[in-house]
Amino acid sequence: MKIQQLRYIVEIVNQNFNVTDAAAALFTSQPGISKQVRLLEDELGLEIFERNGKHIKGLTSAGEKIVAIARELLVKTQSIRAVANEYTQPDHGVLHIATTNTQARYALPSVIEGFAKRYPHVSLHIHQGSPSQIYDALLSGKVDLAITTEAQHLFDDLVLLPCYRWNRAVVVKPDHPLAKSKKLSIEELGKYPLITYTFGFTGVSDLDYAFNSAGILPNIVLTATDADVIKTYVRLGLGVGIMAEMAHTKADSDLVIVKADHLFRPSTVNIAFKHSVFLRNYMYEFIHLFAPHLTRTMVEKAERLHDNEAVKALFEQIQLEMR
């Protein structure tokens, strides 16, 4: 059994069982991958993949367990290299981060600017996607850290560190009736067509909760994964925008922002990583830059807890003590 064979079977799964795409992702040949997979199956005495003729269509029950273990072994091998690099090249490396467009566009720029100045020899890569895509990227080892708000249930088997809370706001054109609202109500908001985030990105569920609590059915006419898209269609007059308050900047002076933090529950942004991963010093530093209360000592303590509810309680206690 070879590490490369394990890398092949994991990448086939990552590429939705397309061996050609797996070969392209690993910069090798499709026949080479197929041969190595067959050699591994022969050595184990069972089939990892279900096949329809020559085509792979899925995993066998044994294959599911083997691929899960293979993922962990590959993470461990990456950790071994990371440990070595930490001693031989402490300020050199690569950091892959997965996050949503809103975080990448509005929360991360100042953090990345500071990080780049401190670690000029660390190559930083940002991968944007939905919560499920972010989770898959973290699980497959394509990224080191994930920054996410929604779908926290996906991250139960990972270390999940609360960073900060953010609120939603309403954005409208200056001539809109809500532009002059002093204290917006759900009833007022329910009178107009709404433009907000796609479910699973940043809180349609919380929006539904607010309207359902008031017994009002929201008229959502458009959803988008990107706050900039929401603002674009508000400018076109298609409706009232509901988005992250941080997404309204000085460049949006043609839009009026109306406070809505009293209407919607705040959302918590978290940083997640795998229990088995070895965090380089610069990774701890990035986490600390993004969330100053997340010192290396606190992150290591959270790692040892192996329980995200306990981690959440720990940070809530810290916040109470800081008040």
Side-chain angles (χ1 to χ4, degrees):
M1 185 185 304
K2 302 175 183 177
I3 290 293
Q4 192 69 359
Q5 291 171 328
L6 301 182
R7 186 170 288 111
Y8 287 164
I9 63 173
V10 168
E11 192 59 36
I12 289 171
V13 176
N14 290 346
Q15 298 296 334
N16 297 314
F17 306 104
N18 188 311
V19 180
T20 301
D21 289 347
L26 294 172
F27 303 100
T28 188
S29 67
Q30 183 268 329
I33 285 187
S34 297
K35 178 182 177 180
Q36 289 300 318
V37 170
R38 280 298 190 187
L39 287 174
L40 178 59
E41 290 179 322
D42 290 343
E43 179 182 347
L44 296 175
L46 53 76
E47 290 192 340
I48 296 171
F49 295 104
E50 291 183 353
R51 293 174 173 83
N52 183 4
K54 293 184 178 181
H55 298 287
I56 292 175
K57 64 177 184 178
L59 286 168
T60 62
S61 56
E64 291 179 359
K65 297 175 182 178
I66 290 169
V67 167
I69 296 171
R71 288 189 189 279
E72 292 304 314
L73 288 173
L74 291 176
V75 171
K76 291 294 186 183
T77 59
Q78 289 174 350
S79 294
I80 291 172
R81 293 191 183 95
V83 170
N85 291 333
E86 187 70 8
Y87 285 90
T88 59
Q89 294 182 305
D91 295 331
H92 291 68
V94 180
L95 177 55
H96 290 269
I97 299 166
T99 189
T100 60
N101 176 273
T102 297
Q103 296 301 318
R105 171 70 176 82
Y106 299 103
L108 282 176
S110 61
V111 175
I112 289 174
E113 182 182 21
F115 180 85
K117 289 179 180 177
R118 194 167 302 187
Y119 293 97
H121 301 297
V122 173
S123 179
L124 192 58
H125 303 269
I126 299 177
H127 308 253
Q128 296 180 54
S130 67
S132 60
Q133 290 170 331
I134 292 170
Y135 172 79
D136 289 342
L138 190 59
L139 193 66
S140 67
K142 290 183 177 179
V143 301
D144 305 295
L145 303 173
I147 301 174
T148 185
T149 300
E150 294 303 315
Q152 292 183 19
H153 63 281
L154 291 175
F155 298 85
D156 286 343
D157 55 342
L158 304 165
V159 181
L160 195 65
L161 306 173
C163 297
Y164 67 90
R165 289 182 174 180
W166 60 269
N167 296 104
R168 291 160 186 78
V170 166
V171 288
V172 293
K173 297 174 70 175
D175 58 353
H176 194 281
L178 293 184
K180 297 180 180 179
S181 177
K182 298 300 181 184
K183 184 153 181 149
L184 187 64
S185 69
I186 283 289
E187 287 75 19
E188 284 182 283
L189 199 54
K191 296 176 183 177
Y192 301 98
L194 305 177
I195 304 170
T196 190
Y197 294 110
T198 301
F199 178 79
F201 269 78
T202 46
V204 171
S205 56
D206 287 333
L207 185 147
D208 287 340
Y209 175 83
F211 278 99
N212 290 340
S213 297
I216 297 172
L217 182 66
N219 178 23
I220 300 176
V221 296
L222 182 67
T223 62
T225 62
D226 183 338
D228 291 335
V229 174
I230 292 173
K231 289 183 285 187
T232 294
Y233 287 99
V234 169
R235 289 184 174 100
L236 291 176
L238 267 67
V240 173
I242 302 177
M243 64 182 195
E245 187 172 358
M246 72 178 93
H248 185 271
T249 68
K250 292 179 180 178
D252 302 313
S253 58
D254 59 326
L255 294 177
V256 175
I257 185 169
V258 182
K259 287 280 188 179
D261 52 359
H262 59 291
L263 300 181
F264 306 110
R265 298 180 298 189
S267 293
T268 301
V269 172
N270 300 276
I271 284 186
F273 57 89
K274 299 180 74 170
H275 283 283
S276 55
V277 75
F278 175 79
L279 294 183
R280 299 282 303 273
N281 183 62
Y282 60 74
M283 295 179 183
Y284 284 108
E285 186 66 23
F286 180 89
I287 292 172
H288 181 57
L289 286 171
F290 186 71
H293 64 282
L294 293 178
T295 62
R296 180 166 185 156
T297 300
M298 291 304 303
V299 174
E300 290 175 341
K301 186 173 183 179
E303 287 181 84
R304 293 192 295 270
L305 288 174
H306 281 267
D307 181 347
N308 285 331
E309 286 303 316
V311 172
K312 183 179 178 181
L314 171 65
F315 286 106
E316 286 177 349
Q317 181 60 39
I318 292 171
Q319 289 176 340
L320 287 173
E321 293 173 356
M322 291 174 62
R323 289 176 183 174

mmCIF file of all heavy atoms in Angstrom, residues 11 41 48 90 92 114 123 127 163 166 190 198 212 219 222 226 282:
data_model
loop_
_atom_site.group_PDB
_atom_site.id
_atom_site.type_symbol
_atom_site.label_atom_id
_atom_site.label_comp_id
_atom_site.label_asym_id
_atom_site.label_seq_id
_atom_site.Cartn_x
_atom_site.Cartn_y
_atom_site.Cartn_z
ATOM 1 N N GLU A 11 -8.901 11.440 -4.317
ATOM 2 C CA GLU A 11 -9.143 12.445 -5.362
ATOM 3 C C GLU A 11 -10.241 11.999 -6.312
ATOM 4 O O GLU A 11 -11.013 12.830 -6.815
ATOM 5 C CB GLU A 11 -7.861 12.736 -6.130
ATOM 6 C CG GLU A 11 -7.954 13.962 -7.034
ATOM 7 C CD GLU A 11 -8.283 15.229 -6.257
ATOM 8 O OE1 GLU A 11 -7.819 15.386 -5.118
ATOM 9 O OE2 GLU A 11 -9.041 16.074 -6.801
ATOM 10 N N GLU A 41 -6.710 -2.457 -4.759
ATOM 11 C CA GLU A 41 -7.844 -3.352 -4.518
ATOM 12 C C GLU A 41 -7.388 -4.809 -4.485
ATOM 13 O O GLU A 41 -7.857 -5.595 -3.647
ATOM 14 C CB GLU A 41 -8.919 -3.138 -5.588
ATOM 15 C CG GLU A 41 -9.634 -1.795 -5.463
ATOM 16 C CD GLU A 41 -10.673 -1.569 -6.538
ATOM 17 O OE1 GLU A 41 -10.412 -1.979 -7.693
ATOM 18 O OE2 GLU A 41 -11.736 -0.986 -6.234
ATOM 19 N N ILE A 48 -12.892 -1.235 -3.798
ATOM 20 C CA ILE A 48 -13.162 0.040 -3.129
ATOM 21 C C ILE A 48 -14.298 0.774 -3.826
ATOM 22 O O ILE A 48 -15.144 1.402 -3.178
ATOM 23 C CB ILE A 48 -11.882 0.910 -3.130
ATOM 24 C CG1 ILE A 48 -10.792 0.216 -2.309
ATOM 25 C CG2 ILE A 48 -12.169 2.314 -2.580
ATOM 26 C CD1 ILE A 48 -9.426 0.887 -2.422
ATOM 27 N N PRO A 90 10.327 28.346 9.145
ATOM 28 C CA PRO A 90 9.189 28.786 9.962
ATOM 29 C C PRO A 90 8.345 29.904 9.356
ATOM 30 O O PRO A 90 7.152 30.002 9.637
ATOM 31 C CB PRO A 90 9.841 29.233 11.271
ATOM 32 C CG PRO A 90 11.263 29.523 10.909
ATOM 33 C CD PRO A 90 11.610 28.540 9.838
ATOM 34 N N HIS A 92 8.023 30.437 6.002
ATOM 35 C CA HIS A 92 7.683 30.123 4.616
ATOM 36 C C HIS A 92 6.578 29.062 4.601
ATOM 37 O O HIS A 92 6.541 28.190 5.463
ATOM 38 C CB HIS A 92 8.903 29.579 3.863
ATOM 39 C CG HIS A 92 9.968 30.586 3.616
ATOM 40 N ND1 HIS A 92 10.726 31.141 4.636
ATOM 41 C CD2 HIS A 92 10.406 31.160 2.456
ATOM 42 C CE1 HIS A 92 11.589 31.998 4.115
ATOM 43 N NE2 HIS A 92 11.427 32.027 2.801
ATOM 44 N N GLY A 114 -2.470 42.837 6.851
ATOM 45 C CA GLY A 114 -1.571 42.742 7.991
ATOM 46 C C GLY A 114 -0.775 41.448 7.994
ATOM 47 O O GLY A 114 0.417 41.438 8.314
ATOM 48 N N SER A 123 2.453 32.012 0.996
ATOM 49 C CA SER A 123 1.525 32.171 -0.129
ATOM 50 C C SER A 123 0.104 31.931 0.367
ATOM 51 O O SER A 123 -0.206 30.866 0.891
ATOM 52 C CB SER A 123 1.879 31.173 -1.234
ATOM 53 O OG SER A 123 0.988 31.285 -2.314
ATOM 54 N N HIS A 127 -10.392 30.558 -1.152
ATOM 55 C CA HIS A 127 -11.365 29.789 -1.924
ATOM 56 C C HIS A 127 -12.756 30.213 -1.453
ATOM 57 O O HIS A 127 -13.055 30.127 -0.262
ATOM 58 C CB HIS A 127 -11.184 28.284 -1.696
ATOM 59 C CG HIS A 127 -9.778 27.803 -1.911
ATOM 60 N ND1 HIS A 127 -9.399 27.067 -3.009
ATOM 61 C CD2 HIS A 127 -8.643 27.957 -1.159
ATOM 62 C CE1 HIS A 127 -8.105 26.783 -2.925
ATOM 63 N NE2 HIS A 127 -7.624 27.316 -1.814
ATOM 64 N N CYS A 163 -15.731 33.671 16.346
ATOM 65 C CA CYS A 163 -14.880 34.844 16.112
ATOM 66 C C CYS A 163 -15.574 36.155 16.458
ATOM 67 O O CYS A 163 -15.100 36.917 17.286
ATOM 68 C CB CYS A 163 -14.427 34.864 14.659
ATOM 69 S SG CYS A 163 -13.400 33.453 14.203
ATOM 70 N N TRP A 166 -22.187 39.409 13.684
ATOM 71 C CA TRP A 166 -22.538 40.498 12.776
ATOM 72 C C TRP A 166 -24.060 40.576 12.643
ATOM 73 O O TRP A 166 -24.773 39.613 12.905
ATOM 74 C CB TRP A 166 -21.876 40.330 11.413
ATOM 75 C CG TRP A 166 -22.227 39.074 10.670
ATOM 76 C CD1 TRP A 166 -21.574 37.891 10.709
ATOM 77 C CD2 TRP A 166 -23.324 38.887 9.756
ATOM 78 N NE1 TRP A 166 -22.179 36.977 9.881
ATOM 79 C CE2 TRP A 166 -23.252 37.557 9.293
ATOM 80 C CE3 TRP A 166 -24.339 39.714 9.283
ATOM 81 C CZ2 TRP A 166 -24.175 37.032 8.373
ATOM 82 C CZ3 TRP A 166 -25.256 39.185 8.378
ATOM 83 C CH2 TRP A 166 -25.164 37.868 7.937
ATOM 84 N N GLY A 190 -42.428 43.889 5.669
ATOM 85 C CA GLY A 190 -43.235 42.889 4.982
ATOM 86 C C GLY A 190 -44.099 43.433 3.863
ATOM 87 O O GLY A 190 -44.662 42.657 3.077
ATOM 88 N N THR A 198 -29.003 33.933 -0.621
ATOM 89 C CA THR A 198 -29.449 32.584 -0.924
ATOM 90 C C THR A 198 -29.415 31.754 0.345
ATOM 91 O O THR A 198 -28.507 31.887 1.168
ATOM 92 C CB THR A 198 -28.518 31.937 -1.975
ATOM 93 O OG1 THR A 198 -28.531 32.754 -3.145
ATOM 94 C CG2 THR A 198 -28.941 30.522 -2.310
ATOM 95 N N ASN A 212 -41.722 34.803 10.580
ATOM 96 C CA ASN A 212 -42.660 33.814 11.108
ATOM 97 C C ASN A 212 -43.124 34.183 12.511
ATOM 98 O O ASN A 212 -44.286 33.957 12.873
ATOM 99 C CB ASN A 212 -42.021 32.422 11.124
ATOM 100 C CG ASN A 212 -41.821 31.862 9.720
ATOM 101 O OD1 ASN A 212 -42.462 32.313 8.778
ATOM 102 N ND2 ASN A 212 -40.928 30.902 9.577
ATOM 103 N N ASN A 219 -42.030 38.473 1.152
ATOM 104 C CA ASN A 219 -42.091 38.403 -0.306
ATOM 105 C C ASN A 219 -40.675 38.513 -0.858
ATOM 106 O O ASN A 219 -40.205 39.584 -1.224
ATOM 107 C CB ASN A 219 -42.978 39.537 -0.840
ATOM 108 C CG ASN A 219 -43.027 39.536 -2.359
ATOM 109 O OD1 ASN A 219 -42.788 38.519 -3.008
ATOM 110 N ND2 ASN A 219 -43.339 40.691 -2.941
ATOM 111 N N LEU A 222 -35.865 37.891 -4.955
ATOM 112 C CA LEU A 222 -34.557 37.580 -5.529
ATOM 113 C C LEU A 222 -33.593 37.207 -4.402
ATOM 114 O O LEU A 222 -33.586 37.853 -3.348
ATOM 115 C CB LEU A 222 -34.005 38.790 -6.293
ATOM 116 C CG LEU A 222 -32.658 38.610 -7.001
ATOM 117 C CD1 LEU A 222 -32.781 37.621 -8.160
ATOM 118 C CD2 LEU A 222 -32.135 39.951 -7.513
ATOM 119 N N ASP A 226 -24.072 36.935 -2.993
ATOM 120 C CA ASP A 226 -23.111 38.028 -2.950
ATOM 121 C C ASP A 226 -23.822 39.327 -2.587
ATOM 122 O O ASP A 226 -24.803 39.709 -3.219
ATOM 123 C CB ASP A 226 -22.465 38.123 -4.339
ATOM 124 C CG ASP A 226 -21.384 39.163 -4.439
ATOM 125 O OD1 ASP A 226 -21.372 40.093 -3.617
ATOM 126 O OD2 ASP A 226 -20.555 39.057 -5.358
ATOM 127 N N TYR A 282 2.251 30.450 11.712
ATOM 128 C CA TYR A 282 1.606 31.544 10.973
ATOM 129 C C TYR A 282 0.096 31.330 10.850
ATOM 130 O O TYR A 282 -0.657 32.284 10.662
ATOM 131 C CB TYR A 282 2.252 31.765 9.605
ATOM 132 C CG TYR A 282 2.233 30.591 8.640
ATOM 133 C CD1 TYR A 282 1.068 30.213 7.989
ATOM 134 C CD2 TYR A 282 3.404 29.896 8.341
ATOM 135 C CE1 TYR A 282 1.057 29.161 7.083
ATOM 136 C CE2 TYR A 282 3.402 28.848 7.431
ATOM 137 C CZ TYR A 282 2.225 28.485 6.815
ATOM 138 O OH TYR A 282 2.205 27.439 5.908
#
